[in-house]
Amino acid sequence: MEASASLGTRQKFARYACDYCRQKKLRCSRELPKCNTCKPWPGSCHYSRETFSSQPSISINRIPEALAHIEARLGHLESTVQHLTNSVDRMLQTVLSTSPKPSGAQRPAESNISGTAAENGSNSDLYIGPLHSFSFLQETPANIEAVPQPSGDETRRSAHSELQYLSDRLATAPVSPCIMKDTTDFYVPPRPAGYRLISRFLELAETGEPFYSAPTDEVVRQVVFEPHKVREKASIVFFNYLLLCDTSSDDDSNIETEKLRHNVRLALNDSRIFLEPREANIKALTILATHGEDYAAPNLSWMLLGHACQQAEALGLHTSGHHSFEFRQKRLCLFWLLFMMDKSCSLAFGRPAFLATAVYQNVPLPDDSILVRFHLRDREEDGQKISRFGAHFLKRSMELSKLIGLVLDVLAMGGSLIAKKDIQSKLDDWYQDTNQTLTETMNAESISATTSHRQEMALGINNIRFHYLNVLVILLKGDESNATLRLSSARDAISLLRSIVSNWSSIYNGVVWQLLYYPFTPFFVIFENIVHQTCWTPAVEQDLQLLSTTVTYYAEMQLQMRLLATVCSRLQRVAAVFLQLAQTHVRQYISAQTADIRAISTAHRSPPQLGDCDRSADNDQVMSDMASSHAEDSQALPNIDTVGPDIARYLEWLPADLAVAWPMFDPAGQGMTGLHSSGDDGGTANNPSRKIFDGVFDWFSWDTYYAGVES
């Protein structure tokens, strides 16, 4: 009985307390299956120590095996890490101990650049469509290869390099990081300096009428002295960047300029400028996209414009609403400004427009009473009659944007030649009417206008013609039946470059990046024509001179755009390299023709005349037509500065070895021994220096020089 009772007690009670009582340090009854403490609660009562002690043989046998397995794994990991460490140490010692060689000094930099390009390529390279203003990016490499490269000449390689730079500028959207010591606080000027800035801002804001209007006096004061309290940070951008544009035209840089730029960048950190539909945001983004020299890269302008257009649609700027007449008209002006820029960007990049022409082409244009506020503000004209030239200029530009929308539709849909011909006819009618209206307005207002006002009106007319010719060149692309018209339009466009040199302060000059990059569209049309020529004609000489005019244009723009002086200098180099390549091509064909003439002269044959070239007659006719066109334009546009290309600058860009292969050039610029002057070019009648390029080449003098044969 006692033995059975003792066995029952061992089965009913555990040797140790349960896990819960042991953890809580409670007195455990050790009853099985649950103690008194655990009985009121659901769940089991665990006696882990009892289980461990009841199977001592199993635990004792497994512990050594588990420890041995863990130790083996740790040993393997330690050996692997040590092996990797030794490999890295050996590689570093090899790299550090190797002396750099000149031939491979640039390899790390090149690999770094390529690695960076590969890393950022998907983020920075932007799409450019097949039909657009910058289509020469795809065509020019083949034209470069078409020029035979003499031994030791690196001109062709330089041309590829410069074309790559131009492509990078047009097909990427780089943003330089802002490096400032203090990037959290706005710059607040002293009170005297602050009120001076306010006074200057109010003067500059008048030039933005009717698109922009200055904020209220209270908002302006808060922007200057309490910028951290301004809710709409777009007002800070508008204020500071308008002043920054004004200081960019000064020759002397100052600390205040950097402080203004710091305020702009700090305000742009507010994402609401890009995401929240407000008129203040649209105005700030628009001024950056049009006149922002810091944001003059074409793709950056296009991106800023995209945000502005989407906000304009969200706000319904084109709708009438129930607001006052003044308020509706100002919103309408801002909408049409976006519409014009949108069509220009779409034509440049071959991308769909943000504001579809089919949707908004019937939106009414702003009233003349509002558009007349767009005119040059000059202190000398106080009390005089307000000019209406700006109103006509804006309205005609808005009509041109509608036509550009039709051009975009035809190019995107692959329209037929008949459709292109119809749009070309509309463009021609628009230009004739626009040219007549603006010319009559300028003639009527020139009597009482100031000198600066007359220059501005001439700039506006030339700018309108340049954009018309640029659109015409793009529209006629790929149409062989209009190849002659396309080439003559490109020539006319380049001949206008010297007359549209300007900066942001000119109100009739258009968008900053268009002044910098649009000239390359007609430039490469002329370059392609030179490359595919197989004989020397006066037309080729004129084309070389036009390429030289482009080089000179960028040199003059460099003096106008102080913040973009480096970019203008780089673009000038691009044009100069392709001018040199075109000259190389022409010299090679002249040398080949000279060798043929020498052989013919030796055989006592008459040298071939200039008219024997297959295409010379056509080229002469093209240049004659261009000259007639220039003569008509000069008569229709009096008082317009139509200064021809500077020949001295052209000779300056000729290579140094040209005197050996081309001896009839007088190095001193006194004359040309192989050319006879001609008075056919009516457009250059007032510039005698250009007549030397209009003569006929004297092959007899050339033959006398090289073959020693008396002519």
Side-chain angles (χ1 to χ4, degrees):
M1 288 292 293
E2 292 179 2
S4 60
S6 176
L7 180 61
T9 302
R10 286 196 300 268
Q11 293 177 352
K12 188 176 181 181
F13 295 93
R15 296 179 56 189
Y16 302 99
C18 69
D19 295 343
Y20 180 82
C21 294
R22 181 171 176 272
Q23 180 182 3
K24 300 296 183 181
K25 296 183 179 180
L26 301 176
R27 185 178 182 84
C28 182
S29 63
R30 296 187 283 111
E31 295 180 9
L32 295 174
K34 298 180 69 174
C35 67
N36 292 335
T37 304
C38 297
K39 282 181 181 180
W41 307 103
S44 59
C45 181
H46 296 284
Y47 292 89
S48 58
R49 290 194 298 170
E50 184 72 13
T51 304
F52 177 79
S53 61
S54 63
Q55 299 177 348
S57 59
I58 298 177
S59 60
I60 291 174
N61 293 334
R62 289 184 177 179
I63 287 176
E65 295 179 2
L67 291 177
H69 179 65
I70 293 174
E71 289 179 356
R73 293 182 61 188
L74 289 176
H76 178 69
L77 290 175
E78 289 177 356
S79 62
T80 303
V81 171
Q82 185 63 37
H83 177 71
L84 292 175
T85 303
N86 295 336
S87 300
V88 172
D89 290 341
R90 287 194 300 270
M91 182 182 64
L92 291 176
Q93 291 176 2
T94 303
V95 172
L96 295 176
S97 61
T98 303
S99 59
K101 299 180 181 180
S103 60
Q106 295 181 354
R107 291 181 180 178
E110 293 174 356
S111 61
N112 187 21
I113 293 175
S114 62
T116 304
E119 180 181 355
N120 300 330
S122 60
N123 297 328
S124 61
D125 293 342
L126 303 179
Y127 169 75
I128 293 183
L131 298 174
H132 52 86
S133 301
F134 303 140
S135 59
F136 58 81
L137 295 177
Q138 288 81 25
E139 301 168 354
T140 305
N143 294 329
I144 295 175
E145 294 299 326
V147 179
Q149 183 175 4
S151 59
D153 190 1
E154 297 293 330
T155 306
R156 204 164 66 180
R157 181 179 299 179
S158 299
H160 281 293
S161 176
E162 297 305 320
L163 184 66
Q164 182 61 44
Y165 164 79
L166 189 60
S167 176
D168 292 340
R169 289 289 301 179
L170 296 173
T172 58
V175 179
S176 58
C178 177
I179 303 176
M180 298 289 293
K181 294 182 179 179
D182 185 4
T183 59
T184 59
D185 297 329
F186 287 99
Y187 161 67
V188 178
R191 294 187 68 83
Y195 283 111
R196 175 179 57 81
L197 293 177
I198 291 176
S199 177
R200 182 56 183 159
F201 167 77
L202 295 177
E203 293 179 6
L204 295 173
E206 293 181 357
T207 63
E209 290 283 351
F211 307 107
Y212 310 112
S213 57
T216 62
D217 294 342
E218 178 61 26
V219 172
V220 172
R221 190 201 65 81
Q222 193 176 47
V223 165
V224 176
F225 299 110
E226 298 176 315
H228 58 281
K229 294 184 179 180
V230 178
R231 183 183 181 278
E232 291 186 341
K233 294 299 188 291
S235 300
I236 300 177
V237 175
F238 182 71
F239 178 91
N240 286 273
Y241 208 86
L242 201 59
L243 293 174
L244 185 63
C245 291
D246 181 53
T247 58
S248 67
S249 59
D250 298 336
D251 294 333
D252 299 329
S253 59
N254 49 40
I255 302 177
E256 189 176 71
T257 300
E258 290 302 323
K259 293 180 179 178
L260 293 174
R261 183 175 289 104
H262 166 68
N263 282 355
V264 171
R265 292 176 175 174
L266 191 59
L268 288 176
N269 288 335
D270 190 347
S271 60
R272 290 178 296 181
I273 295 178
F274 303 93
L275 302 177
E276 193 172 295
R278 289 181 176 272
E279 284 190 45
N281 297 341
I282 297 176
K283 294 176 181 177
L285 294 172
T286 305
I287 193 173
L288 293 180
T290 52
H291 291 296
E293 293 187 26
D294 289 314
Y295 305 90
N299 273 295
L300 286 179
S301 177
W302 176 78
M303 291 178 179
L304 293 170
L305 178 67
H307 288 284
C309 289
Q310 292 175 11
Q311 294 186 27
E313 287 188 305
L315 292 177
L317 290 183
H318 62 287
T319 59
S320 58
H322 301 285
H323 304 285
S324 63
F325 174 80
E326 178 85 6
F327 185 80
R328 293 198 308 268
Q329 290 298 316
K330 285 190 173 182
R331 286 165 61 100
L332 202 58
C333 287
L334 185 57
F335 170 81
W336 276 106
L337 176 62
L338 294 175
F339 188 88
M340 290 188 294
M341 291 184 58
D342 180 40
K343 298 302 170 290
S344 181
C345 286
S346 297
L347 185 65
F349 299 109
R351 299 170 186 155
F354 293 104
L355 303 176
T357 305
V359 177
Y360 299 106
Q361 63 179 351
N362 294 326
V363 174
L365 300 180
D367 192 77
D368 289 344
S369 61
I370 298 296
L371 295 179
V372 77
R373 300 179 186 179
F374 183 71
H375 64 90
L376 180 67
R377 263 71 176 182
D378 195 341
R379 295 179 181 178
E380 298 179 6
E381 67 177 7
D382 292 342
Q384 299 181 5
K385 185 179 179 179
I386 297 178
S387 171
R388 300 188 63 85
F389 182 88
H392 293 303
F393 180 85
L394 280 182
K395 182 164 290 187
R396 299 298 177 174
S397 299
M398 295 172 185
E399 293 174 354
L400 177 60
S401 65
K402 290 184 179 181
L403 294 176
I404 293 177
L406 299 179
V407 173
L408 290 171
D409 293 339
V410 170
L411 295 179
M413 302 300 296
S416 61
L417 296 179
I418 298 178
K420 290 185 177 181
K421 194 68 176 179
D422 180 62
I423 296 179
Q424 178 188 344
S425 177
K426 293 180 180 179
L427 278 172
D428 293 339
D429 293 341
W430 168 87
Y431 175 71
Q432 295 299 330
D433 188 40
T434 299
N435 182 54
Q436 180 180 356
T437 301
L438 295 181
T439 303
E440 292 176 353
T441 305
M442 183 183 67
N443 292 337
E445 297 181 357
S446 295
I447 301 175
S448 59
T450 62
T451 302
S452 60
H453 190 194
R454 288 194 293 269
Q455 293 175 349
E456 278 290 323
M457 289 189 291
L459 173 65
I461 293 177
N462 290 328
N463 182 66
I464 283 283
R465 176 167 173 79
F466 177 80
H467 283 284
Y468 157 72
L469 293 171
N470 191 68
V471 175
L472 196 60
V473 168
I474 301 170
L475 178 63
L476 299 178
K477 179 178 176 60
D479 184 4
E480 294 299 329
S481 62
N482 286 315
T484 302
L485 177 59
R486 184 170 184 258
L487 178 60
S488 63
S489 299
R491 287 167 170 164
D492 288 347
I494 294 297
S495 66
L496 290 171
L497 287 181
R498 300 287 297 279
S499 63
I500 62 174
V501 173
S502 56
N503 54 33
W504 85 272
S505 60
S506 299
I507 64 175
Y508 300 138
N509 62 345
V511 183
V512 169
W513 67 264
Q514 294 178 1
L515 292 174
L516 297 182
Y517 297 98
Y518 267 3
F520 280 108
T521 299
F523 177 89
F524 280 102
V525 172
I526 298 175
F527 174 80
E528 181 181 11
N529 178 66
I530 296 176
V531 168
H532 292 288
Q533 287 288 344
T534 57
C535 64
W536 175 261
T537 65
V540 175
E541 175 62 31
Q542 293 281 0
D543 287 345
L544 287 175
Q545 188 177 358
L546 290 174
L547 298 188
S548 175
T549 300
T550 310
V551 177
T552 306
Y553 168 77
Y554 284 109
E556 295 176 353
M557 287 296 293
Q558 183 178 354
L559 302 177
Q560 294 287 334
M561 301 288 183
R562 189 176 66 85
L563 295 180
L564 297 175
T566 303
V567 176
C568 292
S569 177
R570 196 68 172 80
L571 296 177
Q572 179 187 3
R573 179 181 173 184
V574 174
V577 168
F578 279 94
L579 170 61
Q580 183 180 1
L581 185 62
Q583 291 169 345
T584 302
H585 173 76
V586 171
R587 285 200 306 271
Q588 290 175 347
Y589 274 102
I590 289 179
S591 300
Q593 291 178 0
T594 303
D596 295 339
I597 294 172
R598 187 184 301 116
I600 295 173
S601 299
T602 304
H604 302 286
R605 296 180 181 177
S606 300
Q609 299 297 322
L610 184 63
D612 293 339
C613 295
D614 295 336
R615 299 182 61 184
S616 62
D618 295 337
N619 288 334
D620 291 341
Q621 181 63 36
V622 171
M623 296 307 299
S624 177
D625 296 340
M626 185 183 73
S628 301
S629 176
H630 279 262
E632 295 175 0
D633 293 338
S634 298
Q635 295 174 1
L637 303 178
N639 300 324
I640 296 180
D641 183 14
T642 56
V643 179
D646 189 353
I647 297 176
R649 287 182 177 272
Y650 169 71
L651 295 177
E652 179 184 349
W653 282 102
L654 292 178
D657 60 347
L658 186 58
V660 178
W662 207 341
M664 66 280 193
F665 276 98
D666 184 1
Q670 300 298 328
M672 308 280 287
T673 61
L675 297 175
H676 302 287
S677 61
S678 173
D680 295 337
D681 190 358
T684 60
N686 297 326
N687 191 357
S689 62
R690 294 185 60 183
K691 294 182 180 180
I692 59 177
F693 292 101
D694 296 327
V696 178
F697 190 85
D698 190 350
W699 291 104
F700 294 97
S701 298
W702 181 274
D703 180 62
T704 300
Y705 180 85
Y706 278 99
V709 179
E710 293 295 331
S711 58

